[in-house]
């Protein structure tokens, strides 16, 4: 097996098919980072992480990811054997604190390279797949109720999605909850509805609005309170029957352990980038499972490459009580890989090709990189 000869990090901007409105930002173009690691035999491992709204969603920005990899992580990689990705990441962890997105980008490129050296799908390096396909939610977030309803009906018609997540953190809570009611009235019989507040409410707003959402039949409430409010999340979890999902708050293994211990939620949104890679994602899935927490296969809205990485690790996890939302590629006007994602009967199909099953389109990379 051949050792690592180079590490290259590219920042790209990909335009979306429509504005995607969250509490803290509206996405019209997504900043993503692509990692390319080569070995001495000329094989290439590739990976992607996506960030949302500069530094408004989370602490990791694309510029910081690139700078910290180039300066502090790459020196640990050159000359190493990628098959020992676990040992390499253990060494990196001892000298680089935090930087979960950067670590995820590197670890997954190492895994892609190691899998290509062995000519196996990447999931064979962390347990093998359990699922051939997984339920796939779509986020209705155009900012317009009528447009959201039309979009939902079209997705149902195409058998693309029958789980819809509504972004309701921006603007007046009463108006937003009425918007949820209208969508449930229009498509609630054929679909399951969840909401994501992206930390925007205080506890008093949450008490009033979650009661109304629960009565409407919403099946999951995602990150209603700011990340720091563990106690408030625990009180909401205790009070309501509807599931309270920790997303932005559930980042590192240690933060997630605290959520589980304090019951500051009863479900966890997994995302390889926010946890620092696939190995950490599997550990988090394990502690959540041990505590009886439900799992959700989350997304940072990656394009085809990052999405294939999430699909690969989620395929090895036994149960997603709330399904997955790895729809990212469907929100973009274009892609950086030769392959697209495949959706059949409301489920994303897990790619089985070598590595993460995707190849970089060099022309597209050259076009979209900064
Ligand atoms: C989030 O907070 O869940 C994932 C799907 C979506 O629409 O937004 C992202 C971020
Ligand atoms: Mg969320």
């Amino acid at each position: 097996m051949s050792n690592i000869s180079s590490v290259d990090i590219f920042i790209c901007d990909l335009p979306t098919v429509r504005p995607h409105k969250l509490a803290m930002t509206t996405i019209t173009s997504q900043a993503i980072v692509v990692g390319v690691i080569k070995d001495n035999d000329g094989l290439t491992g590739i990976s992607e992480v996506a960030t949302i709204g500069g530094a408004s969603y989370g602490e990791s920005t694309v510029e910081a990811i690139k700078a910290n990899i180039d300066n502090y992580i790459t020196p640990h990689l050159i000359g190493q054997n990628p098959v020992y990705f676990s040992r390499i990441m253990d060494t990196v962890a001892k000298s680089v604190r935090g930087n979960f997105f950067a670590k995820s980008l590197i670890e997954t490129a190492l895994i892609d390279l190691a899998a290509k050296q062995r000519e196996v799908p990447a999931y064979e390096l962390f347990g093998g797949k359990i699922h051939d396909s997984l339920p796939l939610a779509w986020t209705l977030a155009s900012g317009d109720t009528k447009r959201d309803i039309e979009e939902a009906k079209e997705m149902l018609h195409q058998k693309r999605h029958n789980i819809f997540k509504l972004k309701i953190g921006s603007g007046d809570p009463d108006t937003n909850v009425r918007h949820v009611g209208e969508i449930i009235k229009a498509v609630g019989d054929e679909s399951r509805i969840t909401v994501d507040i992206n930390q925007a409410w205080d506890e008093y707003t949450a008490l009033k609005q979650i009661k109304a959402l629960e009565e409407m039949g919403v099946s999951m409430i995602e990150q209603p309170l700011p990340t720091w409010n563990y106690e408030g999340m625990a009180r909401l979890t205790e009070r309501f029957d509807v599931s309270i999902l920790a997303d932005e708050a559930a980042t590192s293994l240690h933060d997630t352990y605290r959520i589980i211990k304090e019951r500051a939620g009863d479900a966890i949104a997994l995302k390889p980038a926010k946890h620092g890679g696939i190995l950490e994602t599997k550990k988090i899935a394990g502690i959540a499972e041990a505590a009886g927490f439900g799992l959700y296969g989350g997304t940072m809205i990656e394009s085809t490459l990052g999405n294939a990485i999430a699909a690969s690790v989620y395929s090895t996890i036994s149960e997603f009580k709330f399904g997955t939302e790895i729809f990212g590629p469907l929100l973009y006007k274009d892609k950086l890989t030769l392959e697209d994602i495949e959706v059949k009967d409301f489920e994303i199909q897990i790619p089985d090709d070598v590595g993460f099953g995707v190849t970089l389109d060099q022309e597209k990379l050259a076009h979209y990189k900064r």
Side-chain angles (χ1 to χ4, degrees):
M1 298 293 159
S2 175
N3 291 347
I4 296 163
S5 58
S6 67
V7 179
D8 290 293
I9 306 299
F10 304 97
I11 297 175
C12 302
D13 297 286
L14 264 190
T16 60
V17 291
R18 61 149 167 75
H20 197 70
K21 192 171 171 212
L22 282 73
M24 59 283 279
T25 188
T26 298
I27 307 169
T28 53
S29 172
Q30 178 87 312
I32 65 181
V33 192
V34 172
V36 177
I37 300 185
K38 290 196 173 137
D39 72 11
N40 288 316
D41 288 341
L43 281 178
T44 303
I46 55 172
S47 65
E48 175 202 339
V49 292
T51 63
I52 294 174
S56 67
Y57 183 94
E59 291 171 6
S60 279
T61 60
V62 289
E63 296 83 3
I65 292 166
K66 177 170 165 52
N68 286 338
I69 291 174
D70 288 347
N71 289 291
Y72 306 111
I73 300 183
T74 297
H76 294 287
L77 308 178
I78 303 297
Q80 298 298 316
N81 184 339
V83 164
Y84 297 108
F85 59 87
S86 198
R87 182 158 76 199
I88 298 171
M89 294 315 294
D90 195 55
T91 305
V92 168
K94 290 191 170 106
S95 56
V96 179
R97 290 188 192 273
N99 280 283
F100 300 111
F101 282 61
K103 286 173 180 166
S104 181
L105 187 73
I106 290 305
E107 185 219 67
T108 51
L110 291 173
I111 291 175
D112 189 51
L113 181 54
K116 282 172 175 159
Q117 289 185 348
R118 297 186 167 219
E119 298 184 9
V120 295
Y123 54 63
E124 289 197 14
L125 301 185
F126 41 89
K129 70 172 173 175
I130 298 171
H131 312 283
D132 293 320
S133 65
L134 286 164
L136 182 63
W138 174 252
T139 302
L140 298 169
S142 72
D144 178 77
T145 308
K146 216 170 131 242
R147 188 168 173 190
D148 281 356
I149 291 172
E150 278 164 20
E151 204 172 281
K153 286 187 172 163
E154 181 55 29
M155 300 304 171
L156 286 163
H157 176 70
Q158 288 179 20
K159 292 199 168 190
R160 227 177 79 172
H161 313 276
N162 57 5
I163 310 166
F164 298 112
K165 165 159 129 176
L166 314 188
K167 291 286 195 185
I168 58 166
S170 165
D172 173 51
D174 287 330
T175 311
N176 287 335
V177 169
R178 272 200 301 277
H179 158 84
V180 178
E182 284 178 49
I183 292 188
I184 291 180
K185 210 163 85 192
V187 294
D189 286 346
E190 306 144 274
S191 57
R192 191 159 66 69
I193 305 294
T194 74
V195 296
D196 192 353
I197 294 95
N198 284 119
Q199 314 183 49
W201 289 346
D202 59 33
E203 197 172 341
Y204 298 99
T205 308
L207 282 173
K208 176 182 169 196
Q209 304 299 351
I210 295 175
K211 185 165 180 287
L213 292 165
E214 196 173 57
E215 281 164 10
M216 284 175 191
V218 167
S219 65
M220 182 182 83
I221 314 284
E222 185 167 335
Q223 199 67 56
L225 305 182
T227 52
W228 54 264
N229 199 349
Y230 289 79
E231 291 175 12
M233 287 283 278
R235 283 188 288 268
L236 298 178
T237 306
E238 174 81 35
R239 182 163 184 141
F240 294 107
D241 290 335
V242 63
S243 265
I244 308 287
L245 179 97
D247 181 12
E248 291 95 309
T251 52
S252 69
L253 179 64
H254 305 292
D255 285 346
T256 311
Y257 172 66
R258 182 172 168 196
I259 290 168
I260 289 170
K261 189 164 159 238
E262 297 179 13
R263 299 265 147 193
D266 56 17
I268 301 289
L270 299 178
K271 293 178 186 174
K274 70 175 179 171
H275 305 316
I278 284 176
L279 297 174
E280 292 299 299
T281 301
K282 297 270 290 186
K283 287 185 205 166
I284 287 173
I287 60 169
E289 189 187 333
F293 271 54
L295 288 178
Y296 185 50
T299 182
M300 284 300 291
I301 317 187
E302 291 88 2
S303 68
T304 41
L305 175 50
N307 212 69
I309 292 166
S312 177
V313 60
Y314 297 164
S315 80
T316 70
I317 291 167
S318 167
E319 197 188 334
F320 284 97
K321 186 171 176 191
F322 301 99
T324 81
E325 59 173 14
I326 43 176
F327 64 79
L330 302 167
L331 191 67
Y332 292 113
K333 281 193 181 139
D334 207 350
K335 55 194 167 64
L336 300 174
T337 59
L338 301 176
E339 302 78 4
D340 216 336
I341 66 167
E342 197 191 333
V343 184
K344 216 167 73 191
D345 289 333
F346 305 109
E347 302 219 334
I348 181 162
Q349 310 299 305
I350 308 301
D352 291 312
D353 289 333
V354 168
F356 291 112
V358 283
T359 326
L360 263 184
D361 182 330
Q362 295 298 339
E363 275 176 30
K364 291 286 171 65
L365 180 64
H367 180 74
Y368 287 108
K369 78 171 192 225
R370 282 187 194 170

